[in-house]
Amino acid sequence: MGASMEIKSVFANDELLKLLESCDLLVSDISLSNALYFFGSYQDGRLVGVVGLERFGAVALLRSLAVSAELRGSGLGRKLVGFAESEAKSMGISDLFLLTDTAEQFFTKLSYQLLLRENAPAVIKNTAQFSTLCPATSSFMSKQL
Ligand SMILES: CC(C)(COP(=O)(O)OP(=O)(O)OC[C@H]1O[C@@H](n2cnc3c(N)ncnc32)[C@H](O)[C@@H]1OP(=O)(O)O)[C@@H](O)C(=O)NCCC(=O)NCCS
């Protein structure tokens, strides 16, 4: 089951981009950023789950969370977020921010809180996701680590 799968650092290679695209997530800004970290989970040699951190000093955007459709509901999404949070913490990141069109309730369950976009730190406002790629109607959420 997904929940027992190991999670490790992964590169933003074609397999990762394809998984994100198959989950309708943005990939257009991925090669542009130089502070992106991805963590993934494999089943039978195939990447089935991924989560990313886009870091700006003590804050980061949690992004690119995707679980293969056939494995959803088994706890892998929760495990990936938990892994990214503990990696972020060990990197000295104190606050995570995210934008989502589809998973607000999922993140609420994981103790993320809704925030007004105007209250975003400047570095987060300047990200491509925040400023141009995600619609103004996307939920903006944060969690203190
Ligand atoms: C969002 C996503 C990553 C969740 O992954 P998952 O492996 O199915 O999630 P989990 O099994 O760990 O679910 C954890 C909890 O959230 C709930 N949940 C999962 N997806 C949810 C959603 N979209 N809305 C509301 N609740 C959700 C589960 O029921 C579970 O609740 P429980 O602990 O009370 O049983 C997955 O649905 C996905 O890849 N979606 C497409 C891409 C996407 O929307 N990514 C987020 C962009 S930021």
Coordinates of all heavy atoms in Angstrom, one line a residue, residues 23-25 62-68 71-79 98-107 109-110, ligand 1:
C23 N -1.7 14.7 -13.4 CA -2.5 15.2 -12.3 C -3.0 16.7 -12.4 O -3.4 17.3 -11.5 CB -1.8 15.0 -10.9 SG -1.4 13.3 -10.5
D24 N -2.8 17.2 -13.7 CA -3.2 18.5 -14.0 C -2.5 19.6 -13.2 O -3.1 20.6 -12.9 CB -4.7 18.7 -13.9 CG -5.5 17.9 -14.9 OD1 -5.0 17.8 -16.0 OD2 -6.6 17.4 -14.5
L25 N -1.3 19.4 -12.8 CA -0.5 20.4 -12.1 C 0.5 21.1 -13.0 O 0.8 20.6 -14.1 CB 0.3 19.7 -10.9 CG -0.6 19.1 -9.9 CD1 0.3 18.5 -8.8 CD2 -1.6 20.0 -9.3
L62 N 5.1 25.0 -0.7 CA 4.9 23.6 -0.8 C 4.1 23.4 -2.1 O 3.0 24.1 -2.3 CB 4.1 23.0 0.3 CG 3.8 21.5 0.3 CD1 5.0 20.8 0.9 CD2 2.5 21.1 1.0
R63 N 4.6 22.6 -3.1 CA 4.0 22.6 -4.4 C 4.1 21.2 -5.0 O 4.8 20.4 -4.5 CB 4.7 23.6 -5.3 CG 6.2 23.5 -5.4 CD 6.8 24.3 -6.4 NE 6.4 23.9 -7.7 CZ 6.5 24.7 -8.8 NH1 7.0 25.9 -8.7 NH2 6.1 24.2 -10.0
S64 N 3.5 21.1 -6.2 CA 3.7 19.9 -7.0 C 3.4 18.6 -6.2 O 4.1 17.6 -6.4 CB 5.1 19.8 -7.6 OG 5.5 21.0 -8.2
L65 N 2.4 18.6 -5.4 CA 1.9 17.4 -4.7 C 1.0 16.6 -5.6 O 0.0 17.1 -6.1 CB 1.2 17.8 -3.4 CG 0.6 16.6 -2.7 CD1 1.6 15.7 -2.1 CD2 -0.4 17.0 -1.6
A66 N 1.5 15.4 -5.9 CA 0.7 14.6 -6.8 C 0.8 13.1 -6.4 O 1.9 12.6 -6.2 CB 1.1 14.8 -8.2
V67 N -0.3 12.4 -6.4 CA -0.3 11.0 -6.2 C -1.1 10.3 -7.4 O -2.1 10.8 -7.8 CB -1.1 10.6 -4.9 CG1 -1.3 9.1 -4.7 CG2 -0.3 11.2 -3.7
S68 N -0.5 9.3 -7.9 CA -1.1 8.6 -9.1 C -2.6 8.3 -8.7 O -2.9 7.8 -7.6 CB -0.4 7.3 -9.3 OG 0.8 7.5 -9.9
L71 N -3.7 5.3 -6.7 CA -3.2 5.1 -5.4 C -3.8 6.1 -4.4 O -3.4 6.1 -3.2 CB -1.7 5.1 -5.3 CG -1.0 3.9 -5.9 CD1 0.5 4.2 -6.0 CD2 -1.3 2.6 -5.2
R72 N -4.7 6.9 -4.8 CA -5.2 8.0 -3.9 C -6.1 7.3 -2.8 O -6.7 6.3 -3.0 CB -6.0 9.0 -4.7 CG -5.1 9.8 -5.6 CD -5.8 10.9 -6.3 NE -4.9 11.4 -7.4 CZ -5.2 12.1 -8.4 NH1 -6.5 12.4 -8.6 NH2 -4.3 12.5 -9.3
G73 N -6.1 8.0 -1.7 CA -7.0 7.5 -0.6 C -6.3 6.5 0.3 O -6.9 6.0 1.2
S74 N -5.0 6.2 0.0 CA -4.3 5.2 0.8 C -3.3 5.8 1.8 O -2.5 5.2 2.4 CB -3.6 4.2 -0.1 OG -2.6 4.9 -0.9
G75 N -3.3 7.2 1.9 CA -2.4 7.8 2.9 C -1.1 8.3 2.3 O -0.3 8.9 3.0
L76 N -0.9 8.1 1.0 CA 0.4 8.5 0.5 C 0.5 10.1 0.4 O 1.6 10.6 0.7 CB 0.6 7.9 -0.9 CG 2.0 8.2 -1.6 CD1 3.1 7.8 -0.7 CD2 2.1 7.5 -3.0
G77 N -0.5 10.8 0.0 CA -0.5 12.2 0.0 C -0.1 12.8 1.4 O 0.7 13.7 1.5
R78 N -0.8 12.3 2.4 CA -0.5 12.8 3.8 C 1.0 12.5 4.1 O 1.7 13.3 4.7 CB -1.4 12.0 4.7 CG -1.3 12.4 6.2 CD -2.0 11.4 7.1 NE -3.4 11.4 7.0 CZ -4.2 12.2 7.7 NH1 -3.7 13.1 8.5 NH2 -5.5 12.2 7.5
K79 N 1.5 11.3 3.7 CA 2.8 10.9 4.1 C 3.8 11.8 3.3 O 4.9 12.2 3.9 CB 3.0 9.4 3.7 CG 4.3 8.8 4.3 CD 4.4 7.4 4.0 CE 5.8 6.9 4.3 NZ 6.1 5.6 3.8
L98 N 1.1 27.5 0.3 CA 0.7 26.8 -0.9 C -0.5 27.4 -1.5 O -1.2 28.2 -0.9 CB 0.5 25.3 -0.5 CG -0.7 25.0 0.4 CD1 -2.0 24.8 -0.4 CD2 -0.4 23.8 1.2
L99 N -0.6 27.1 -2.8 CA -1.8 27.5 -3.5 C -2.4 26.2 -4.0 O -1.7 25.4 -4.6 CB -1.4 28.4 -4.7 CG -1.0 29.8 -4.3 CD1 0.0 30.3 -5.3 CD2 -2.2 30.7 -4.2
T100 N -3.8 26.1 -3.9 CA -4.4 24.9 -4.5 C -5.8 25.2 -5.0 O -6.5 26.0 -4.4 CB -4.5 23.8 -3.5 OG1 -5.0 22.6 -4.1 CG2 -5.3 24.1 -2.2
D101 N -6.1 24.6 -6.1 CA -7.5 24.7 -6.7 C -8.3 23.5 -6.3 O -9.5 23.6 -6.3 CB -7.4 24.7 -8.2 CG -6.7 25.9 -8.8 OD1 -6.6 26.9 -8.2 OD2 -6.1 25.7 -9.9
T102 N -7.7 22.5 -5.9 CA -8.4 21.2 -5.8 C -8.3 20.5 -4.4 O -9.1 19.6 -4.1 CB -7.8 20.2 -6.7 OG1 -6.3 20.2 -6.5 CG2 -8.1 20.5 -8.2
A103 N -7.4 20.9 -3.5 CA -7.1 20.1 -2.3 C -7.2 20.9 -1.0 O -6.5 20.6 -0.1 CB -5.8 19.4 -2.5
E104 N -8.0 22.0 -1.0 CA -8.1 22.8 0.2 C -8.5 21.9 1.4 O -7.9 22.0 2.5 CB -9.1 23.9 0.0 CG -9.3 24.8 1.2 CD -10.4 25.8 1.1 OE1 -10.5 26.4 0.0 OE2 -11.1 26.0 2.1
Q105 N -9.5 21.0 1.2 CA -9.9 20.2 2.4 C -8.9 19.3 2.9 O -8.7 19.0 4.1 CB -11.2 19.5 2.1 CG -12.4 20.4 2.0 CD -13.6 19.7 1.4 OE1 -13.6 19.2 0.3 NE2 -14.7 19.7 2.2
F106 N -8.2 18.7 1.9 CA -7.0 17.8 2.2 C -6.0 18.5 3.1 O -5.6 18.0 4.1 CB -6.4 17.3 0.9 CG -5.0 16.7 1.1 CD1 -5.0 15.3 1.4 CD2 -3.9 17.4 0.9 CE1 -3.7 14.7 1.5 CE2 -2.6 16.8 1.0 CZ -2.6 15.4 1.4
F107 N -5.7 19.8 2.7 CA -4.7 20.5 3.5 C -5.2 21.0 4.8 O -4.5 21.1 5.8 CB -4.1 21.7 2.7 CG -3.1 21.2 1.6 CD1 -3.4 21.3 0.3 CD2 -1.9 20.7 2.0 CE1 -2.5 20.8 -0.7 CE2 -0.9 20.3 1.0 CZ -1.3 20.3 -0.3
K109 N -7.1 19.3 6.7 CA -7.0 18.1 7.5 C -5.5 18.0 8.1 O -5.3 17.4 9.1 CB -7.3 16.8 6.8 CG -8.7 16.6 6.6 CD -9.0 15.2 6.2 CE -10.5 15.0 6.2 NZ -11.0 13.7 5.7
L110 N -4.6 18.5 7.3 CA -3.2 18.5 7.7 C -2.8 19.8 8.4 O -1.6 20.1 8.5 CB -2.3 18.2 6.5 CG -2.6 16.9 5.7 CD1 -1.6 16.7 4.7 CD2 -2.7 15.7 6.6
Ligands
LIG1 C1 -4.5 15.8 -3.2 C2 -3.8 14.4 -3.3 C3 -2.3 14.6 -3.4 C4 -4.2 13.6 -2.1 O1 -3.5 12.4 -2.1 P1 -4.0 11.1 -1.4 O2 -2.9 10.1 -1.3 O3 -5.3 10.6 -2.0 O4 -4.4 11.6 0.1 P2 -4.4 10.7 1.5 O5 -4.9 9.4 1.1 O6 -3.1 10.9 2.2 O7 -5.6 11.5 2.2 C5 -5.4 12.1 3.5 C6 -6.8 12.6 4.0 O8 -7.3 13.6 3.1 C7 -8.5 13.3 2.5 N1 -8.4 13.7 1.1 C8 -7.6 13.3 0.1 N2 -7.8 14.0 -1.0 C9 -8.7 15.0 -0.7 C10 -9.3 16.0 -1.4 N3 -9.0 16.3 -2.7 N4 -10.3 16.8 -0.8 C11 -10.6 16.5 0.5 N5 -10.1 15.5 1.2 C12 -9.2 14.8 0.6 C13 -8.5 11.7 2.6 O9 -9.8 11.3 2.6 C14 -7.8 11.5 3.9 O10 -8.7 11.8 5.0 P3 -8.7 10.9 6.3 O11 -7.3 10.9 6.9 O12 -9.7 11.5 7.2 O13 -9.1 9.5 5.8 C15 -4.3 13.6 -4.6 O14 -5.7 13.6 -4.6 C16 -3.8 14.2 -5.9 O15 -2.7 13.9 -6.4 N6 -4.6 15.1 -6.5 C17 -4.3 15.7 -7.8 C18 -3.3 16.7 -7.7 C19 -3.6 17.8 -6.7 O16 -4.7 18.3 -6.6 N7 -2.6 18.2 -5.9 C20 -2.6 19.3 -4.9 C21 -2.1 20.5 -5.5 S1 -1.4 21.6 -4.4

